Amino acid sequence: MTAMLNLQGVNKIYNPNSRHPVHAVIDLDLAVQPGEIVALLGSSGCGKTSTLRMVAGFEQVSSGSISLAGRDIHTFAPARRNVAMAFEGYSLYPPLTVRENIAFAMKSEKMATADVTARVDEIAQLLDIEDILDRYPTSLSGGQAQRAGLGRALVRKADLYLLDEPMGQLEPQLRAHLRGRIKHFIKERGLTAILVTHDQTEANALADRIAVMEGGVLQQFDTPAQLKDAPANLFTGTFIGEPPMNIFAAQAKSENGQLVFALDQGVDLSYDPTAFPDALQQAILGLGTVTLGVRPHAVQVRDHGAKAQVYAAQWLGDQTHIAAHFAGGSVVSVHHDRVSRAKGEEIGIVIAPQDLHVFDTASGNAVSHGGTLA
Amino acid sequence: MEHTSPLERILRGIALTAVVVFFMFPILWIVLMSLQTNETILRSPPSMVFEPTLSNYQAIISGQLTGNTATLEIKFMGNLLNSIILSVGSVALALLLGVPAAYAFARHKFRGSEDIAFTLLSFRFAPPLLVLLPLTIIFQQIGLADTYIGLIWVYQLICLPLILWIVRGYFEDISPDVEHAYRIAGHSWFATFRHIALPLARPGIAAAGLLAFIFAWNNFIFALVLASADKQPVTVGALAFITASGIQYGQIAAAIVLSIAPTLALALYAQRYLVEGLSLGAVKG
């Protein structure tokens, strides 16, 4: 299958000739399949918005190429790229009503008035904005304006839909409710979309695949499940997941026929070598210094196991977070039932080999996930 | 709504009246003066009671200045026309050049853009005498001295920075995403400028144009040095009333009333734009 959108070796350098050039996007390769929703996820300044703006044509690529539906578009003006975009901020045309704003692009497509009305009404229903169609942008709340802007983008016919934090200003309940509808709308029509967000819940809910970016570099481009189960490096491991992954520095060694990870303050995690294939054991022992990661949901609290001291236990209404001092740092464990642990209480921490992520401390790259070589 | 006591309202009324009287009294006085003869103006103590006469206006419009001893010809109506040509011409040129420039400065950060913008602004605080002498010589050499074009050119020192900076602030206030949305919907850069940016900045452009017009109208020094009698605007033309045989206060007053009338009418008409334009554009930008 040929990709709908293909970014190859794309770089973006701001102020290249100044004393402080900013390399915002570094050697980015990204291929989006037709009908796919891809999220660009990362914290602010990671290069996700620059990437989106290069695809839209508001920023020039410093080097590399972008092709959409078989056309090299990176030298085109935005008008010729055939993409639709929903903006994070205020972007409605102030002198037009919401209805006129949404219908605006269709006017130039020379559609019959009845069709335009039908399309606008359909989109308005999708986004719950039927009641504000005849109002002017200045009288709208941030969330209403954002939905109107989203409607204006989705109503168009384009090769690619660019959604820049499209729900950033909505109430949480409305956001959750609209996510499902928007995904259904896009999927039903087989549209291809790129979503920029810093909210991983939104990325998980909407996207087929997520491109995690940091420091201008694409860290990992994978399905939400793979990002969680097999993070490619320490960054994605700790960035994806809430609460974040527990991380421990460890020395790997072979002792008494066991594979032992020596943590700080004399805490040892010993595993039966059968849980790890030979090649993996070689790799881990070869590195010596590794970083262990374990998801809070996988940390088991038992009476036996490595000693830890509870310093906080919170019931969040649907899960309990237990935080404990462990191996010179702290460990967080999540339980889906109500678990009461007193502050200062001694607990045992057990981490099953299939829940263990091993990273190379020097490079940050993943070595293994749950006993499988990464 | 905040509740105000009657006392507060009365005090506020008094304060407002005081301010209005303070600022409007000179204008009222000028209007009254323009309806009196020199004798009634100069009597002591001054009085508000007099027999109104239109002789001052008559003299000015007909161009016959009748003093105590002789009759002098003045071309005040010609001066008024010059003022209109110079002010309208220079504001039109400044808008034509300044609005696209303001857009460029607001939307595109290019090398030296801040420096260029600041240099243009610095024309406003450089004393005019600094440039006048060299300008006079240069203009004489290239044949621009005593021409409307030459004067309109020099008036750009007044109008262009004003328009550039006020309108720039206005363009900066427009969310770039509004323009992006229009461009991505299939419109060129220039269409976006014309159909989105210009209409949205219209109040700012109107305010800046109006202010520039008033500044151009009030300019004295450039016209005094660079224009001969037949190109002089009202500000310079008013000097003719100081005659060898005395100062013709009544006619000066009538001339002033006639010369402030256009700007006053314009300012009153476009008050709303002025206040909006200045408070939104210039202060924030």
Side-chain angles (χ1 to χ4, degrees), chain A residues 81-94:
Chain A
R81 298 192 179 201
N82 198 22
V83 297
M85 182 161 176
F87 296 87
E88 178 183 10
Y90 183 76
S91 71
L92 298 172
Y93 311 131

Side-chain angles (χ1 to χ4, degrees), chain A residues 53 58 78-79 83 85 87 90-94 104 152 156, chain B residues 111 175 177-178 180-188 196 200:
Chain A
R53 293 169 64 88
F58 303 135
V83 297
M85 182 161 176
F87 296 87
Y90 183 76
S91 71
L92 298 172
Y93 311 131
F104 192 85
R152 185 177 59 180
R156 281 185 55 199
Chain B
R111 194 196 296 248
S175 158
D177 285 345
V178 178
H180 288 154
Y182 192 74
R183 287 180 67 188
I184 210 162
H187 300 90
S188 69
I196 301 291
L200 289 182

